Amino acid sequence: MIIVMENGATEEQIEAVVRKIKEYGCEANVSRGTERTVIGAIGDERRIDQEAIDALPGVEQSMHIVKPYKIVAREWHRENTVIDIRGVPLGGNQIQVISGPCSVETQEQMDESARFVKEAGCRLMRGGAFKPRTSPYTFQGRGVEGLAMFRKAADKYGLPIVTELMDVRMLDTFLEYDVDVIQIGTRNMQNFDLLKEVGRINKPVILKRGMAATISEWLMAAEYIAAGGNHNIIFCERGIRTYETAYRNVLDVTAVPVLKKETHLPVIIDPSHAGGKAWMVPALARAAIAAGADGLLVESHPRPCEAWCDADQALSPEELKSLMGELKGIANVLGRSL
Amino acid sequence: MIIVMENGATEEQIEAVVRKIKEYGCEANVSRGTERTVIGAIGDERRIDQEAIDALPGVEQSMHIVKPYKIVAREWHRENTVIDIRGVPLGGNQIQVISGPCSVETQEQMDESARFVKEAGCRLMRGGAFKPRTSPYTFQGRGVEGLAMFRKAADKYGLPIVTELMDVRMLDTFLEYDVDVIQIGTRNMQNFDLLKEVGRINKPVILKRGMAATISEWLMAAEYIAAGGNHNIIFCERGIRTYETAYRNVLDVTAVPVLKKETHLPVIIDPSHAGGKAWMVPALARAAIAAGADGLLVESHPRPCEAWCDADQALSPEELKSLMGELKGIANVLGRSL
Amino acid sequence: MIIVMENGATEEQIEAVVRKIKEYGCEANVSRGTERTVIGAIGDERRIDQEAIDALPGVEQSMHIVKPYKIVAREWHRENTVIDIRGVPLGGNQIQVISGPCSVETQEQMDESARFVKEAGCRLMRGGAFKPRTSPYTFQGRGVEGLAMFRKAADKYGLPIVTELMDVRMLDTFLEYDVDVIQIGTRNMQNFDLLKEVGRINKPVILKRGMAATISEWLMAAEYIAAGGNHNIIFCERGIRTYETAYRNVLDVTAVPVLKKETHLPVIIDPSHAGGKAWMVPALARAAIAAGADGLLVESHPRPCEAWCDADQALSPEELKSLMGELKGIANVLGRSL
Amino acid sequence: MIIVMENGATEEQIEAVVRKIKEYGCEANVSRGTERTVIGAIGDERRIDQEAIDALPGVEQSMHIVKPYKIVAREWHRENTVIDIRGVPLGGNQIQVISGPCSVETQEQMDESARFVKEAGCRLMRGGAFKPRTSPYTFQGRGVEGLAMFRKAADKYGLPIVTELMDVRMLDTFLEYDVDVIQIGTRNMQNFDLLKEVGRINKPVILKRGMAATISEWLMAAEYIAAGGNHNIIFCERGIRTYETAYRNVLDVTAVPVLKKETHLPVIIDPSHAGGKAWMVPALARAAIAAGADGLLVESHPRPCEAWCDADQALSPEELKSLMGELKGIANVLGRSL
């Protein structure tokens, strides 16, 4: 950590900073420039509380030199991690498209969905049984019953399932229904108690980016899971909140190359929640794969106009199939498999 | 709700929209303009799922006419609600400044804090026993033990206590220690299961605005609590996330007059988390009261430089006292009590 | 335009709105719902000043039904416009990659650049003679002298040139040097006097999106140029400003499909200014083409480390060549030419 | 400047950085930590181009130690600057409220406005003759004719005038009409050629913050003016662009204490453009003064509902008068004059 003192900082103030650094078990290196004195803390700076340093009189600014995350960092684990989802690999050279409806509605809808998802060439299926909804007055998901329907439909077609966990008290139920991948939604990216709990089990976790989370906060949220012992983490970018009102969110494709540089874990993209409209999905999905994403989470529905929620962003079976063709073409250009 | 059809929408598409509106139990009023056909849905539009409408072929855009929130809306409850916190009124003409340390550290620190908070003229005390921290490797709060210290210190000075609930499984413990006001933090504003639980009890709740939450989402989050039966809700603006990097967050004072127009519930401001630096707090606190806020949540510490977390934003006892004087002057100009 | 009156609006207030609508030459259609009265303005609503309507007592909100732009709108011009740049087509099925250094430095650097840009397969060249710099103390561009160098180097390789116009007083000089495409930079997207001037000439204009401009403001800025008579406009997305600090801007790929739906004019992307680092450029460039962009504006330099400005975002000749190969592959998947 | 090398940077790469620093006339100080090597550049670091450093192989990040602005910095000019506007002081202990209509409409409207602005106790008047409008099809201002009307009306009541300059070619006209304060609008904050021109004259300049400008960019824009020789600069915060859609902009009151710390120049606030609605103006105006602003730019109109533009944000004469009373009360609490 590097600490810059204010112009005119006193010797006493400098000494106080040096003392504090030593309390954290680090060494201090004081360097006096023409306009500012700069202090370097040498040692394991993850122990130093930056805010406690910034609070000391005479301190102007400080900067971390070492990244605050460790287990998820590529710096300490150079090779790409490939997540094994009940035999289906995600990451490395292997791209996966996870598809299915926004929410579980009926057994029939799930059976149909599993069928066309499989036919389109996808090897993993998504579906929501518990739905985070902005209004308390709208449909909140089919709950445990929905989980059972999902499991049954997916099993028929040999598709591992991905579904969202919102409440820590439901974790046992998720394990009971043997959910293959647990999704942590955008509103829960910093629900630290939930992160700690999924860190204790051994299931792959898709960690969606918070609506306005920085790359650094997102990596730290993953570190919460990893610190518990579960390293099977997949990052999922789903659009960030900006000033633009012409679409729901702004898909941040830059996050793909940046995350791939910072972490060894796979990065996928959800083009459906990003744009919020089905007609935007193919363009965003292609952009994601072209940018180097390891997969997609794409909403589809047997009859999009009749979907119970987020109808406007689901692809029809035909649209999904046609999109898969384009994506394979792009994966091929990049020398990857889909 | 008003639905605008695309230029060139067919009669069939228009009829499909009319049919859907009737399915939701509303009446439809079709009006054909020179460039667009516009359909009005008449009746209780809260039942209509806007996304399902937007998904229909030929629909260009739609607009809610009626606000999606009801219990918290001033439209249905004209007078200001005054929240009674164990005899201390907050709202209406009465402004309250809630102060105390970021986190509970020791019994001695809490005793000292309670003493100077009381002396400064504050009638409510804050303190964190469970801390949401970005990194899993930093101090996570004193937990239940901290709650006990806080209760003991505050009781000595007759101060009702405000503290943050992060995990739904801790609610019983909070009731056991008779926490007077439960704070829902910024990262949990849309933790819907947590909102539902605090909606079932009868304790005042401070609902902090999500880091990048819109006014509308915030009102809907409060509606979640209210829908459960608990109407003792206090909104707390704490700075929003923007592109600016010179300070942690941008305090959104405009939220004060806007919320006061939309809701009958009290609105307070947290100037400490907004700016992130103690030296900014007095200016922001004065601005908040001048804008019409019903109170403040201000961090203070007996010895700010030694605080275990967020050291850089705590006021010293002297700074708090001096700020209270200025705030009383401004409250006086506005004809309010503090 | 649709105007929603407040709950409890008086007959007098409703009549005042109707009167105002008629003053603008439109007809009014009053519809009384259970909770709100809604007024529709029928006729050419572009004449109505929305702010003047919103100011009338009793008005709660209003919504435009017709888009405020006309010449640039696809609604009135269904086919894609192809811009002819001295014989090089941009738009429709034809993708173009425009490359060259951030700023003109020396004749030798421009000669080398023109050579490798041509060799890489690009048919248009970019380069800055006048540089908008955040600090008055840094290099401001080679000016007119730079323009001459650029012209000379590009002519040698038959490359039409693209360069930025910042000051309306320099327009004659640009015409004198026969600049082929005038670039309006992000800081000047709403420099309306500059837009009006380039609207009067007959040169293609690249209109960069303002740092935090909405799609709608951007389309209106183009409408300023078009209203003057110049319809040769190319939109260029270059990353928008958000809360994220891990990269300079967030490349908004969603803008590509959305703009292509709203306007018949070509849309290109500048991946260099978006990310701000050369290593991010290939991923962003591929994403742009995959999303359907009609071209790219990519910085390159014979020796990036020695560039006088924005060194960190320029591709080397080899990197540019290798990128062109990937982009051709993706264009091919989409059935387009590059 | 401090340069942090990547983990694993080679000796060669370190030497290349040291060489580059020396080329800029600074000394280099290399310090090897356990995980990273850190290089400090000692000397006048304003000469160093940060981007050129960041481009060197092996560089991970760099940080400026010294602020890039100098003339406007409080660090080099400790006392508050008071701007003299034809005998009316703004800054230091003296707060000024500048009021008047959004745009000049008629001589009568300007005469009335000047009268009530004066009566309300304001000592400076604002009014727009050239209007930056999003649409080319709406009213663009009365132009030079409007300037003449404004001058005449204001002279009658002895009010110095403030008006916006959009086009560098109009500067002579502004000088001819002896405009007392030149306003640079939000869309022109980084119109560097315009900044340079107003830097050459000796009139006070109000520099509005760009819609999404950082504090640092804003200070640098002021430095452009100051570098030309004109130090009579007044910063004006007018709301920033965020994700929130419930109001036009978010008034950034935090900018007030932060700017007052960074610069010796006065800081005023425009509460009218911030919220965009007249009913929000009093709360925002009070917040601004309470936060320590040196003045306000408030829109008012003899008959707001009839205003030709931005009608919805103008105060009536009575509202302005009543607001002035509250603001005087708050100024009094802070020991300042209004």
Side-chain angles (χ1 to χ4, degrees):
Chain A
M1 179 176 286
I2 287 172
I3 297 115
V4 181
M5 302 300 291
E6 285 169 7
N7 190 351
T10 64
E11 274 310 307
E12 228 170 28
Q13 292 172 336
I14 293 169
E15 274 164 40
V17 173
V18 169
R19 212 159 39 233
K20 194 85 175 178
I21 289 170
K22 290 183 174 166
E23 275 174 36
Y24 286 111
C26 295
E27 281 308 301
N29 172 30
V30 180
S31 137
R32 290 168 166 84
T34 51
E35 297 189 2
R36 294 284 191 288
T37 290
V38 174
I39 305 171
I42 302 165
D44 180 6
E45 68 173 68
R46 280 183 202 85
R47 296 185 220 162
I48 304 179
D49 188 338
Q50 195 168 6
E51 282 160 344
I53 295 289
D54 285 349
L56 294 173
V59 172
E60 187 168 279
Q61 55 174 322
S62 68
M63 176 173 76
H64 262 293
I65 298 301
V66 177
K67 302 288 166 60
Y69 38 91
K70 192 135 191 172
I71 308 174
V72 305
R74 189 178 286 276
E75 188 166 352
W76 307 107
H77 184 297
R78 290 283 167 191
E79 311 74 41
N80 289 320
T81 288
V82 179
I83 309 282
D84 178 89
I85 306 168
R86 209 189 268 192
V88 178
L90 191 158
N93 204 45
Q94 185 62 54
I95 297 169
Q96 296 293 349
V97 175
I98 308 166
S99 193
C102 174
S103 66
V104 177
E105 298 164 10
T106 63
Q107 186 65 56
E108 192 200 9
Q109 168 239 18
M110 293 310 285
D111 288 347
E112 279 188 81
S113 295
R115 188 179 48 73
F116 79 73
V117 162
K118 179 86 175 190
E119 275 176 20
C122 302
R123 297 172 63 192
L124 297 160
M125 185 173 176
R126 56 148 291 149
F130 300 89
K131 304 299 306 171
R133 300 302 301 273
T134 305
S135 164
Y137 305 127
T138 52
F139 174 57
Q140 308 270 316
R142 292 295 303 265
V144 179
E145 197 185 8
L147 220 48
M149 293 176 193
F150 188 8
R151 184 77 269 173
K152 195 174 157 195
D155 279 352
K156 213 158 133 187
Y157 296 90
L159 295 163
I161 68 173
V162 177
T163 197
E164 181 170 351
L165 176 68
M166 291 168 62
D167 185 341
V168 85
R169 295 168 298 183
M170 289 308 296
L171 183 54
D172 286 344
T173 308
F174 270 54
L175 295 177
E176 194 183 306
Y177 282 92
D178 205 14
V179 168
D180 301 291
V181 182
I182 292 176
Q183 179 179 314
I184 300 294
T186 189
R187 289 169 186 81
N188 284 312
M189 191 200 84
Q190 289 193 319
N191 182 335
F192 299 121
D193 291 293
L194 188 58
L195 299 180
K196 285 175 186 170
E197 289 300 326
V198 298
R200 287 191 190 111
I201 60 170
N202 210 18
K203 292 273 187 189
V205 174
I206 288 180
L207 180 65
K208 286 202 149 186
R209 184 181 188 176
M211 228 170 266
T214 61
I215 295 289
S216 166
E217 289 168 340
W218 194 10
L219 286 160
M220 289 310 290
E223 190 80 10
Y224 258 96
I225 300 172
N230 186 355
H231 297 189
N232 296 304
I233 306 164
I234 299 161
F235 289 88
C236 180
E237 156 66 25
R238 40 76 71 201
I240 59 171
R241 183 155 276 183
T242 74
Y243 66 86
E244 180 58 69
T245 54
Y247 15 100
R248 191 158 51 178
N249 296 295
V250 167
L251 179 69
D252 180 9
V253 282
T254 313
V256 177
V258 171
L259 270 185
K260 306 279 304 172
K261 187 164 183 271
E262 290 297 317
T263 180
H264 51 90
L265 295 164
V267 180
I268 66 172
I269 274 193
D270 175 347
S272 307
H273 282 88
K277 299 277 176 188
W279 63 264
M280 300 175 186
V281 169
L284 301 183
R286 293 189 311 251
I289 298 304
D294 297 305
L296 297 175
L297 206 55
V298 180
E299 290 194 5
S300 56
H301 194 279
R303 286 166 303 282
C305 291
E306 297 173 16
W308 294 7
C309 85
D310 283 355
D312 200 18
Q313 66 196 34
L315 295 186
S316 69
E318 297 68 39
E319 289 166 338
L320 180 64
K321 204 166 194 169
S322 142
L323 176 59
M324 285 296 283
E326 292 183 325
L327 299 181
K328 273 175 199 186
I330 295 173
N332 198 43
V333 170
L334 304 183
R336 303 184 76 188
S337 304
L338 168 60
Chain B
M1 180 176 286
I2 286 171
I3 297 114
V4 181
M5 301 301 289
E6 284 169 6
N7 191 350
T10 64
E11 274 309 307
E12 228 170 28
Q13 291 172 337
I14 293 169
E15 273 164 40
V17 173
V18 169
R19 212 161 39 235
K20 194 85 175 179
I21 289 171
K22 289 184 176 167
E23 275 174 35
Y24 286 112
C26 295
E27 282 306 303
N29 173 30
V30 180
S31 136
R32 290 169 166 83
T34 51
E35 298 189 0
R36 293 284 190 290
T37 291
V38 174
I39 305 172
I42 302 166
D44 181 5
E45 67 172 69
R46 278 183 204 84
R47 296 185 221 164
I48 304 178
D49 190 336
Q50 195 167 6
E51 282 160 342
I53 294 290
D54 286 350
L56 295 173
V59 171
E60 187 167 280
Q61 56 175 322
S62 67
M63 175 173 77
H64 262 295
I65 298 300
V66 177
K67 302 288 166 59
Y69 38 91
K70 192 133 190 174
I71 309 175
V72 304
R74 188 178 285 278
E75 189 167 352
W76 308 108
H77 184 297
R78 291 282 166 193
E79 310 74 42
N80 288 320
T81 288
V82 179
I83 309 282
D84 178 90
I85 305 168
R86 207 187 270 191
V88 178
L90 189 159
N93 204 45
Q94 185 63 52
I95 296 168
Q96 297 293 350
V97 175
I98 308 166
S99 193
C102 174
S103 66
V104 177
E105 297 164 10
T106 63
Q107 186 65 56
E108 192 199 8
Q109 168 239 20
M110 292 310 285
D111 289 346
E112 278 188 81
S113 295
R115 186 178 50 70
F116 80 73
V117 161
K118 179 86 175 191
E119 275 176 21
C122 301
R123 297 172 63 191
L124 297 160
M125 186 173 175
R126 58 147 290 149
F130 300 89
K131 304 298 306 171
R133 300 304 299 274
T134 304
S135 165
Y137 306 127
T138 53
F139 174 57
Q140 308 270 317
R142 293 295 302 266
V144 179
E145 196 184 10
L147 220 50
M149 292 176 192
F150 188 6
R151 183 76 270 173
K152 194 173 158 196
D155 280 352
K156 212 159 135 185
Y157 294 91
L159 294 163
I161 68 174
V162 178
T163 198
E164 180 170 352
L165 177 68
M166 290 168 64
D167 185 341
V168 85
R169 295 169 299 184
M170 289 307 297
L171 184 54
D172 286 344
T173 309
F174 270 55
L175 295 177
E176 194 184 306
Y177 282 92
D178 205 15
V179 168
D180 301 291
V181 182
I182 293 176
Q183 181 179 313
I184 301 294
T186 188
R187 289 169 187 80
N188 284 311
M189 191 200 86
Q190 290 193 319
N191 183 336
F192 299 121
D193 291 292
L194 189 58
L195 298 180
K196 286 175 185 171
E197 288 300 326
V198 298
R200 289 193 187 109
I201 60 169
N202 209 18
K203 291 274 185 188
V205 174
I206 288 180
L207 180 66
K208 285 201 152 188
R209 184 180 188 176
M211 229 170 265
T214 62
I215 294 289
S216 167
E217 288 168 339
W218 195 9
L219 285 160
M220 288 311 290
E223 191 80 10
Y224 258 97
I225 300 173
N230 186 355
H231 298 188
N232 297 304
I233 306 163
I234 298 161
F235 289 88
C236 179
E237 154 67 24
R238 42 74 75 199
I240 58 171
R241 182 155 277 183
T242 73
Y243 65 87
E244 180 60 69
T245 54
Y247 15 99
R248 190 157 53 178
N249 295 295
V250 167
L251 180 69
D252 180 9
V253 282
T254 313
V256 177
V258 170
L259 269 185
K260 307 281 302 175
K261 186 163 183 272
E262 289 298 316
T263 180
H264 52 90
L265 295 165
V267 180
I268 66 172
I269 274 193
D270 176 345
S272 307
H273 283 87
K277 297 277 176 188
W279 63 264
M280 300 176 184
V281 170
L284 300 183
R286 292 189 313 251
I289 298 304
D294 298 306
L296 297 176
L297 206 54
V298 180
E299 288 193 7
S300 58
H301 194 279
R303 285 164 306 279
C305 292
E306 296 174 16
W308 293 7
C309 86
D310 283 356
D312 200 17
Q313 66 196 35
L315 296 186
S316 69
E318 297 68 40
E319 288 164 339
L320 179 63
K321 204 167 195 167
S322 143
L323 175 59
M324 286 296 283
E326 291 183 326
L327 298 180
K328 274 175 198 185
I330 294 173
N332 198 43
V333 170
L334 302 183
R336 302 184 77 187
S337 302
L338 169 59
Chain C
M1 180 176 286
I2 287 173
I3 297 113
V4 181
M5 302 300 291
E6 285 170 6
N7 191 350
T10 64
E11 274 309 308
E12 227 170 28
Q13 292 172 338
I14 293 169
E15 275 164 38
V17 173
V18 170
R19 211 161 38 236
K20 194 85 175 179
I21 289 170
K22 290 184 173 166
E23 276 174 35
Y24 285 112
C26 295
E27 283 307 301
N29 172 30
V30 180
S31 137
R32 289 167 166 85
T34 51
E35 297 188 1
R36 294 285 191 289
T37 290
V38 173
I39 305 171
I42 302 165
D44 181 6
E45 68 172 70
R46 279 184 202 83
R47 296 185 220 164
I48 304 179
D49 189 337
Q50 195 168 7
E51 280 159 344
I53 294 289
D54 285 349
L56 295 173
V59 172
E60 187 168 279
Q61 55 174 322
S62 67
M63 176 173 75
H64 261 294
I65 298 299
V66 177
K67 302 287 166 61
Y69 38 92
K70 193 135 191 172
I71 308 174
V72 304
R74 189 179 284 277
E75 189 167 350
W76 307 107
H77 185 297
R78 291 282 167 193
E79 309 73 42
N80 288 320
T81 288
V82 178
I83 309 281
D84 178 90
I85 306 168
R86 210 189 267 191
V88 178
L90 189 159
N93 204 46
Q94 184 62 54
I95 296 169
Q96 296 293 350
V97 174
I98 307 165
S99 193
C102 173
S103 66
V104 177
E105 297 164 10
T106 63
Q107 187 65 56
E108 192 199 9
Q109 168 240 18
M110 292 311 285
D111 289 347
E112 279 188 81
S113 296
R115 188 180 47 72
F116 79 73
V117 161
K118 179 87 175 191
E119 275 176 20
C122 303
R123 298 172 63 190
L124 297 160
M125 185 175 175
R126 57 147 293 151
F130 299 89
K131 304 298 306 170
R133 301 301 302 271
T134 305
S135 165
Y137 305 126
T138 52
F139 174 57
Q140 309 271 315
R142 294 293 305 263
V144 179
E145 196 184 9
L147 221 48
M149 293 175 194
F150 188 7
R151 185 75 271 173
K152 194 174 158 195
D155 279 353
K156 213 158 134 187
Y157 296 91
L159 294 163
I161 68 173
V162 178
T163 198
E164 180 170 352
L165 176 67
M166 290 169 62
D167 185 341
V168 85
R169 295 169 298 184
M170 289 308 295
L171 184 54
D172 286 344
T173 309
F174 270 54
L175 296 177
E176 194 183 308
Y177 282 91
D178 204 14
V179 168
D180 301 291
V181 182
I182 294 176
Q183 180 179 314
I184 301 294
T186 188
R187 290 169 186 80
N188 284 312
M189 191 200 86
Q190 290 194 317
N191 183 337
F192 299 121
D193 291 293
L194 188 58
L195 298 180
K196 285 175 186 169
E197 288 301 325
V198 298
R200 287 190 191 112
I201 60 170
N202 209 20
K203 291 273 186 189
V205 175
I206 288 181
L207 179 65
K208 286 202 151 188
R209 183 180 189 176
M211 228 169 268
T214 61
I215 294 288
S216 167
E217 288 168 340
W218 195 10
L219 285 160
M220 288 310 291
E223 190 80 11
Y224 258 96
I225 299 172
N230 186 356
H231 298 189
N232 297 304
I233 306 163
I234 300 161
F235 290 88
C236 181
E237 155 67 25
R238 41 76 72 200
I240 58 171
R241 183 154 276 184
T242 74
Y243 66 86
E244 180 58 69
T245 54
Y247 15 99
R248 189 157 53 178
N249 295 295
V250 167
L251 179 68
D252 180 9
V253 281
T254 313
V256 177
V258 171
L259 269 185
K260 305 281 303 174
K261 188 164 182 270
E262 290 298 316
T263 180
H264 52 90
L265 296 165
V267 180
I268 65 172
I269 275 193
D270 175 346
S272 307
H273 282 87
K277 298 278 175 188
W279 64 265
M280 300 176 186
V281 169
L284 301 182
R286 292 190 312 251
I289 298 305
D294 298 306
L296 297 175
L297 205 55
V298 180
E299 289 193 4
S300 57
H301 194 279
R303 287 166 303 280
C305 291
E306 296 174 15
W308 293 7
C309 85
D310 284 355
D312 200 17
Q313 66 196 35
L315 296 187
S316 70
E318 297 69 37
E319 288 165 337
L320 179 64
K321 204 167 195 167
S322 143
L323 176 60
M324 285 296 283
E326 291 184 325
L327 298 180
K328 272 174 200 188
I330 295 173
N332 199 43
V333 170
L334 303 183
R336 305 184 76 187
S337 304
L338 169 59
Chain D
M1 179 177 287
I2 286 171
I3 297 114
V4 181
M5 301 301 289
E6 285 169 7
N7 191 350
T10 64
E11 274 310 307
E12 229 171 25
Q13 292 172 338
I14 293 169
E15 273 164 40
V17 173
V18 169
R19 211 161 40 235
K20 193 87 175 178
I21 289 170
K22 289 185 175 165
E23 275 175 36
Y24 286 112
C26 295
E27 282 307 303
N29 173 31
V30 180
S31 137
R32 289 167 167 84
T34 51
E35 299 189 359
R36 293 284 190 287
T37 290
V38 173
I39 304 171
I42 302 165
D44 181 6
E45 68 171 70
R46 278 183 203 85
R47 295 185 221 163
I48 304 178
D49 190 337
Q50 196 167 6
E51 282 161 342
I53 294 290
D54 285 350
L56 295 173
V59 171
E60 186 167 280
Q61 56 174 323
S62 68
M63 177 173 77
H64 262 294
I65 298 299
V66 178
K67 302 289 166 59
Y69 38 91
K70 192 133 191 174
I71 309 174
V72 305
R74 189 178 285 279
E75 188 167 352
W76 308 107
H77 185 296
R78 290 283 167 192
E79 310 75 43
N80 289 320
T81 287
V82 178
I83 309 281
D84 178 90
I85 306 168
R86 208 188 270 190
V88 178
L90 189 158
N93 204 44
Q94 185 62 53
I95 297 168
Q96 296 293 349
V97 175
I98 308 166
S99 194
C102 174
S103 67
V104 177
E105 297 164 10
T106 64
Q107 187 64 56
E108 192 199 7
Q109 169 238 20
M110 292 311 284
D111 289 347
E112 279 188 81
S113 295
R115 188 179 47 71
F116 80 74
V117 161
K118 179 86 175 191
E119 274 176 21
C122 302
R123 297 172 62 190
L124 296 160
M125 186 172 174
R126 57 148 291 151
F130 299 89
K131 304 298 306 171
R133 301 303 300 272
T134 305
S135 165
Y137 306 126
T138 53
F139 174 58
Q140 308 271 317
R142 293 295 304 264
V144 179
E145 196 185 10
L147 220 49
M149 292 176 192
F150 187 9
R151 184 75 270 172
K152 194 173 159 197
D155 279 353
K156 212 159 136 188
Y157 295 91
L159 294 164
I161 69 173
V162 177
T163 198
E164 181 170 351
L165 177 68
M166 290 168 63
D167 186 341
V168 87
R169 295 169 298 183
M170 289 308 295
L171 184 54
D172 286 344
T173 309
F174 270 55
L175 295 176
E176 195 183 307
Y177 283 91
D178 206 14
V179 168
D180 301 291
V181 182
I182 293 176
Q183 181 179 314
I184 300 295
T186 188
R187 289 169 187 80
N188 284 311
M189 191 200 85
Q190 290 193 319
N191 183 335
F192 300 122
D193 292 293
L194 187 59
L195 298 180
K196 284 175 185 170
E197 288 300 325
V198 299
R200 288 193 189 110
I201 60 169
N202 209 17
K203 292 273 186 188
V205 175
I206 288 180
L207 179 65
K208 286 202 151 187
R209 184 181 189 176
M211 229 169 266
T214 62
I215 294 288
S216 167
E217 288 168 340
W218 195 10
L219 285 160
M220 288 311 289
E223 190 81 10
Y224 258 97
I225 300 172
N230 186 355
H231 297 189
N232 297 304
I233 306 163
I234 299 161
F235 290 88
C236 180
E237 154 67 25
R238 41 75 74 200
I240 59 171
R241 182 155 278 185
T242 74
Y243 66 86
E244 180 59 67
T245 55
Y247 16 98
R248 190 156 53 178
N249 296 295
V250 167
L251 179 69
D252 180 10
V253 283
T254 313
V256 177
V258 170
L259 269 185
K260 307 278 307 171
K261 187 164 183 271
E262 290 298 317
T263 180
H264 51 91
L265 295 165
V267 180
I268 67 173
I269 274 193
D270 175 346
S272 307
H273 282 87
K277 298 278 174 187
W279 64 264
M280 299 175 186
V281 169
L284 300 183
R286 292 190 312 251
I289 298 304
D294 296 308
L296 298 175
L297 206 54
V298 179
E299 288 194 5
S300 57
H301 194 280
R303 285 165 304 280
C305 292
E306 297 174 15
W308 293 7
C309 86
D310 283 356
D312 200 18
Q313 66 196 35
L315 295 187
S316 70
E318 298 68 38
E319 288 165 338
L320 179 64
K321 204 167 196 169
S322 143
L323 176 59
M324 287 296 283
E326 290 184 325
L327 298 180
K328 273 175 199 187
I330 295 172
N332 198 43
V333 170
L334 303 184
R336 304 183 76 188
S337 303
L338 169 59

